[in-house]
PDB file of all heavy atoms in Angstrom:
ATOM      1  N   TYR A  67       2.456 -19.955 -46.363  1.00 81.00           N
ATOM      2  CA  TYR A  67       2.045 -18.730 -47.047  1.00 81.00           C
ATOM      3  C   TYR A  67       2.618 -17.506 -46.322  1.00 81.00           C
ATOM      4  O   TYR A  67       2.759 -17.517 -45.101  1.00 81.00           O
ATOM      5  CB  TYR A  67       0.518 -18.668 -47.054  1.00 81.00           C
ATOM      6  CG  TYR A  67      -0.069 -18.132 -48.325  1.00 81.00           C
ATOM      7  CD1 TYR A  67       0.067 -18.816 -49.513  1.00 81.00           C
ATOM      8  CD2 TYR A  67      -0.760 -16.934 -48.333  1.00 81.00           C
ATOM      9  CE1 TYR A  67      -0.473 -18.331 -50.682  1.00 81.00           C
ATOM     10  CE2 TYR A  67      -1.314 -16.440 -49.496  1.00 81.00           C
ATOM     11  CZ  TYR A  67      -1.165 -17.151 -50.673  1.00 81.00           C
ATOM     12  OH  TYR A  67      -1.699 -16.654 -51.824  1.00 81.00           O
ATOM     13  N   PRO A  68       2.987 -16.455 -47.029  1.00 83.00           N
ATOM     14  CA  PRO A  68       3.528 -15.252 -46.381  1.00 83.00           C
ATOM     15  C   PRO A  68       2.591 -14.681 -45.320  1.00 83.00           C
ATOM     16  O   PRO A  68       1.368 -14.734 -45.460  1.00 83.00           O
ATOM     17  CB  PRO A  68       3.692 -14.264 -47.542  1.00 83.00           C
ATOM     18  CG  PRO A  68       3.857 -15.128 -48.741  1.00 83.00           C
ATOM     19  CD  PRO A  68       2.984 -16.333 -48.486  1.00 83.00           C
ATOM     20  N   VAL A  69       3.163 -14.156 -44.264  1.00 82.00           N
ATOM     21  CA  VAL A  69       2.409 -13.580 -43.156  1.00 82.00           C
ATOM     22  C   VAL A  69       2.342 -12.070 -43.333  1.00 82.00           C
ATOM     23  O   VAL A  69       3.360 -11.425 -43.550  1.00 82.00           O
ATOM     24  CB  VAL A  69       3.090 -13.927 -41.812  1.00 82.00           C
ATOM     25  CG1 VAL A  69       2.388 -13.243 -40.656  1.00 82.00           C
ATOM     26  CG2 VAL A  69       3.143 -15.426 -41.610  1.00 82.00           C
ATOM     27  N   MET A  70       1.145 -11.534 -43.252  1.00 83.00           N
ATOM     28  CA  MET A  70       0.942 -10.092 -43.324  1.00 83.00           C
ATOM     29  C   MET A  70       0.084  -9.677 -42.129  1.00 83.00           C
ATOM     30  O   MET A  70      -0.863 -10.367 -41.782  1.00 83.00           O
ATOM     31  CB  MET A  70       0.227  -9.698 -44.622  1.00 83.00           C
ATOM     32  CG  MET A  70       1.017  -9.933 -45.862  1.00 83.00           C
ATOM     33  SD  MET A  70       2.407  -8.803 -45.923  1.00 83.00           S
ATOM     34  CE  MET A  70       3.187  -9.339 -47.422  1.00 83.00           C
ATOM     35  N   PRO A  71       0.415  -8.559 -41.506  1.00 82.00           N
ATOM     36  CA  PRO A  71      -0.375  -8.114 -40.345  1.00 82.00           C
ATOM     37  C   PRO A  71      -1.725  -7.544 -40.780  1.00 82.00           C
ATOM     38  O   PRO A  71      -1.888  -7.083 -41.906  1.00 82.00           O
ATOM     39  CB  PRO A  71       0.502  -7.015 -39.736  1.00 82.00           C
ATOM     40  CG  PRO A  71       1.283  -6.492 -40.890  1.00 82.00           C
ATOM     41  CD  PRO A  71       1.524  -7.672 -41.796  1.00 82.00           C
ATOM     42  N   TRP A  72      -2.681  -7.612 -39.887  1.00 82.00           N
ATOM     43  CA  TRP A  72      -3.964  -6.963 -40.115  1.00 82.00           C
ATOM     44  C   TRP A  72      -3.773  -5.461 -39.910  1.00 82.00           C
ATOM     45  O   TRP A  72      -3.078  -5.036 -38.994  1.00 82.00           O
ATOM     46  CB  TRP A  72      -4.997  -7.465 -39.118  1.00 82.00           C
ATOM     47  CG  TRP A  72      -5.473  -8.844 -39.422  1.00 82.00           C
ATOM     48  CD1 TRP A  72      -4.847 -10.007 -39.115  1.00 82.00           C
ATOM     49  CD2 TRP A  72      -6.650  -9.190 -40.122  1.00 82.00           C
ATOM     50  NE1 TRP A  72      -5.573 -11.066 -39.563  1.00 82.00           N
ATOM     51  CE2 TRP A  72      -6.698 -10.596 -40.189  1.00 82.00           C
ATOM     52  CE3 TRP A  72      -7.680  -8.463 -40.687  1.00 82.00           C
ATOM     53  CZ2 TRP A  72      -7.729 -11.277 -40.808  1.00 82.00           C
ATOM     54  CZ3 TRP A  72      -8.712  -9.146 -41.297  1.00 82.00           C
ATOM     55  CH2 TRP A  72      -8.730 -10.531 -41.345  1.00 82.00           C
ATOM     56  N   VAL A  73      -4.402  -4.688 -40.756  1.00 75.00           N
ATOM     57  CA  VAL A  73      -4.343  -3.242 -40.626  1.00 75.00           C
ATOM     58  C   VAL A  73      -5.716  -2.758 -40.190  1.00 75.00           C
ATOM     59  O   VAL A  73      -6.705  -2.957 -40.885  1.00 75.00           O
ATOM     60  CB  VAL A  73      -3.928  -2.575 -41.952  1.00 75.00           C
ATOM     61  CG1 VAL A  73      -3.924  -1.064 -41.809  1.00 75.00           C
ATOM     62  CG2 VAL A  73      -2.566  -3.091 -42.399  1.00 75.00           C
ATOM     63  N   VAL A  74      -5.766  -2.148 -39.024  1.00 75.00           N
ATOM     64  CA  VAL A  74      -7.020  -1.668 -38.481  1.00 75.00           C
ATOM     65  C   VAL A  74      -7.084  -0.164 -38.712  1.00 75.00           C
ATOM     66  O   VAL A  74      -6.232   0.584 -38.268  1.00 75.00           O
ATOM     67  CB  VAL A  74      -7.121  -1.982 -36.975  1.00 75.00           C
ATOM     68  CG1 VAL A  74      -8.406  -1.436 -36.403  1.00 75.00           C
ATOM     69  CG2 VAL A  74      -6.994  -3.462 -36.739  1.00 75.00           C
ATOM     70  N   SER A  75      -8.111   0.253 -39.437  1.00 77.00           N
ATOM     71  CA  SER A  75      -8.237   1.682 -39.711  1.00 77.00           C
ATOM     72  C   SER A  75      -9.312   2.340 -38.859  1.00 77.00           C
ATOM     73  O   SER A  75      -9.356   3.552 -38.750  1.00 77.00           O
ATOM     74  CB  SER A  75      -8.537   1.915 -41.197  1.00 77.00           C
ATOM     75  OG  SER A  75      -9.749   1.291 -41.550  1.00 77.00           O
ATOM     76  N   ASP A  76     -10.202   1.535 -38.275  1.00 75.00           N
ATOM     77  CA  ASP A  76     -11.277   2.076 -37.454  1.00 75.00           C
ATOM     78  C   ASP A  76     -11.214   1.414 -36.082  1.00 75.00           C
ATOM     79  O   ASP A  76     -11.654   0.282 -35.907  1.00 75.00           O
ATOM     80  CB  ASP A  76     -12.617   1.811 -38.147  1.00 75.00           C
ATOM     81  CG  ASP A  76     -13.784   2.376 -37.357  1.00 75.00           C
ATOM     82  OD1 ASP A  76     -13.563   3.054 -36.325  1.00 75.00           O
ATOM     83  OD2 ASP A  76     -14.928   2.150 -37.768  1.00 75.00           O
ATOM     84  N   TRP A  77     -10.679   2.111 -35.106  1.00 74.00           N
ATOM     85  CA  TRP A  77     -10.486   1.554 -33.760  1.00 74.00           C
ATOM     86  C   TRP A  77     -11.734   1.571 -32.917  1.00 74.00           C
ATOM     87  O   TRP A  77     -11.787   0.985 -31.840  1.00 74.00           O
ATOM     88  CB  TRP A  77      -9.390   2.338 -33.044  1.00 74.00           C
ATOM     89  CG  TRP A  77      -8.046   2.134 -33.653  1.00 74.00           C
ATOM     90  CD1 TRP A  77      -7.444   2.930 -34.600  1.00 74.00           C
ATOM     91  CD2 TRP A  77      -7.131   1.080 -33.390  1.00 74.00           C
ATOM     92  NE1 TRP A  77      -6.224   2.431 -34.955  1.00 74.00           N
ATOM     93  CE2 TRP A  77      -5.987   1.290 -34.200  1.00 74.00           C
ATOM     94  CE3 TRP A  77      -7.148  -0.033 -32.553  1.00 74.00           C
ATOM     95  CZ2 TRP A  77      -4.907   0.432 -34.203  1.00 74.00           C
ATOM     96  CZ3 TRP A  77      -6.047  -0.883 -32.564  1.00 74.00           C
ATOM     97  CH2 TRP A  77      -4.956  -0.641 -33.375  1.00 74.00           C
ATOM     98  N   TRP A  78     -12.793   2.242 -33.337  1.00 79.00           N
ATOM     99  CA  TRP A  78     -13.972   2.417 -32.500  1.00 79.00           C
ATOM    100  C   TRP A  78     -15.155   1.555 -32.913  1.00 79.00           C
ATOM    101  O   TRP A  78     -16.173   1.593 -32.269  1.00 79.00           O
ATOM    102  CB  TRP A  78     -14.366   3.892 -32.495  1.00 79.00           C
ATOM    103  CG  TRP A  78     -13.311   4.698 -31.833  1.00 79.00           C
ATOM    104  CD1 TRP A  78     -13.193   4.924 -30.481  1.00 79.00           C
ATOM    105  CD2 TRP A  78     -12.211   5.347 -32.432  1.00 79.00           C
ATOM    106  NE1 TRP A  78     -12.064   5.674 -30.226  1.00 79.00           N
ATOM    107  CE2 TRP A  78     -11.447   5.953 -31.408  1.00 79.00           C
ATOM    108  CE3 TRP A  78     -11.756   5.477 -33.725  1.00 79.00           C
ATOM    109  CZ2 TRP A  78     -10.280   6.670 -31.666  1.00 79.00           C
ATOM    110  CZ3 TRP A  78     -10.593   6.193 -33.967  1.00 79.00           C
ATOM    111  CH2 TRP A  78      -9.879   6.779 -32.947  1.00 79.00           C
ATOM    112  N   SER A  79     -15.030   0.757 -33.928  1.00 66.00           N
ATOM    113  CA  SER A  79     -16.163  -0.104 -34.366  1.00 66.00           C
ATOM    114  C   SER A  79     -16.230  -1.363 -33.560  1.00 66.00           C
ATOM    115  O   SER A  79     -15.287  -1.905 -33.116  1.00 66.00           O
ATOM    116  CB  SER A  79     -16.021  -0.459 -35.831  1.00 66.00           C
ATOM    117  OG  SER A  79     -16.166   0.691 -36.617  1.00 66.00           O
TER     118      SER A  79
END
Side-chain angles (χ1 to χ4, degrees):
Y67 219 65
V69 175
M70 294 291 178
W72 286 81
V73 178
V74 178
S75 61
D76 181 5
W77 292 95
W78 294 275
S79 293

